Amino acid sequence: MCRTLAAFPTTCLERAKEFKTRLGIFLHKSEVGSDTGSVGKLEWGSKHSKAGNFSEDVLGWKESFDLLLSSKNGVAAFHAFLKTEFSEENLEFWLACEEFKKIRSATKLASRAQRIFEEFICSEAPKEVNIDHETRELTRSNLQAATAACFDVAQGKTRTLMEKDSYPRFLKSPAYRDLAAQASAAPASLSGSSLAEPSHT
């Protein structure tokens, strides 16, 4: 066990383990292909090894959709929920667009744009997102001179759709409500804990 966790009282560690287990159940089989990144995997590194930090993260997800999308664990949990509704393509498209904007090579930009279009935008695409005909055609024309902004309109529309439709259902889901209840309880159990190294007598 790492030295930081060893400083917590046993009851706090048990609560943190239970908390982690519940989130693991929530995310049970959430795996995403390499194109969209490993959003199905939790990062239990130093940032989230303290249950207090992680509980703040979980509780922040209901404050705004932006906070959810800015959290790797939030994205993983939301993706797991969307998979239960068979509607994960909108989030996967949004994530693909975020990665696409980071590309600096014009050649890579053009080829990646075509792959994203074929996977998410064109009619009969394997993960076709729900956008109107005008947006689809605008995106198609943008591909003729691909830039980092060529998916902006389509990405914005899918984001709005998720925020107005899927996100409220996610917050009302039993899995998230159970997780939030655990998160609410975690800071109280950790508030009396010292982060200092235990003294050896």
Side-chain angles (χ1 to χ4, degrees):
M1 184 182 293
C2 71
R3 296 177 69 196
T4 306
L5 287 180
F8 285 117
T10 307
T11 54
C12 293
L13 289 176
E14 287 172 357
R15 183 175 289 278
K17 285 179 184 176
E18 180 186 356
F19 188 56
K20 179 179 175 181
T21 301
R22 285 183 182 262
L23 186 62
I25 292 169
F26 184 40
L27 298 173
H28 57 102
K29 292 180 181 177
S30 175
E31 293 294 335
V32 182
S34 57
D35 281 351
T36 53
S38 302
V39 299
K41 295 178 181 177
L42 284 179
E43 292 194 352
W44 288 95
S46 59
K47 182 181 176 185
H48 294 305
S49 63
K50 300 182 185 73
N53 286 352
F54 186 70
S55 64
E56 288 171 17
D57 196 25
V58 171
L59 295 174
W61 302 346
K62 64 183 175 183
E63 298 302 320
S64 77
F65 192 48
D66 284 329
L67 283 174
L68 175 71
L69 292 179
S70 66
S71 161
K72 287 187 177 182
N73 289 329
V75 168
F78 188 47
H79 184 261
F81 168 76
L82 292 176
K83 287 189 82 166
T84 68
E85 296 197 333
F86 304 100
S87 61
E88 67 270 22
E89 67 281 346
N90 286 335
L91 179 61
E92 290 178 12
F93 170 64
W94 186 87
L95 290 167
C97 290
E98 289 297 289
E99 288 301 311
F100 173 75
K101 291 174 186 176
K102 298 174 186 176
I103 298 172
R104 293 292 168 258
S105 161
T107 307
K108 287 182 180 178
L109 204 67
S111 63
R112 185 73 183 107
Q114 190 60 42
R115 282 170 55 196
I116 291 174
F117 186 83
E118 290 172 1
E119 186 174 3
F120 297 103
I121 303 292
C122 70
S123 298
E124 307 301 319
K127 297 180 180 179
E128 186 177 352
V129 293
N130 186 13
I131 55 173
D132 57 83
H133 177 72
E134 290 78 11
T135 303
R136 182 173 284 110
E137 291 309 305
L138 171 66
T139 306
R140 188 192 305 275
S141 66
N142 286 346
L143 258 60
Q144 294 172 9
T147 67
C150 66
F151 291 108
D152 282 2
V153 176
Q155 184 187 18
K157 293 203 172 187
T158 56
R159 185 197 182 285
T160 300
L161 187 65
M162 287 190 293
E163 185 172 16
K164 291 184 175 178
D165 185 40
S166 307
Y167 176 57
R169 287 202 306 277
F170 167 71
L171 295 180
K172 291 175 184 174
S173 68
Y176 174 73
R177 286 163 66 178
D178 189 35
L179 202 58
Q182 287 288 312
S184 296
S189 68
L190 295 175
S191 60
S193 308
S194 169
L195 295 179
E197 289 298 316
S199 58
H200 298 285
T201 55

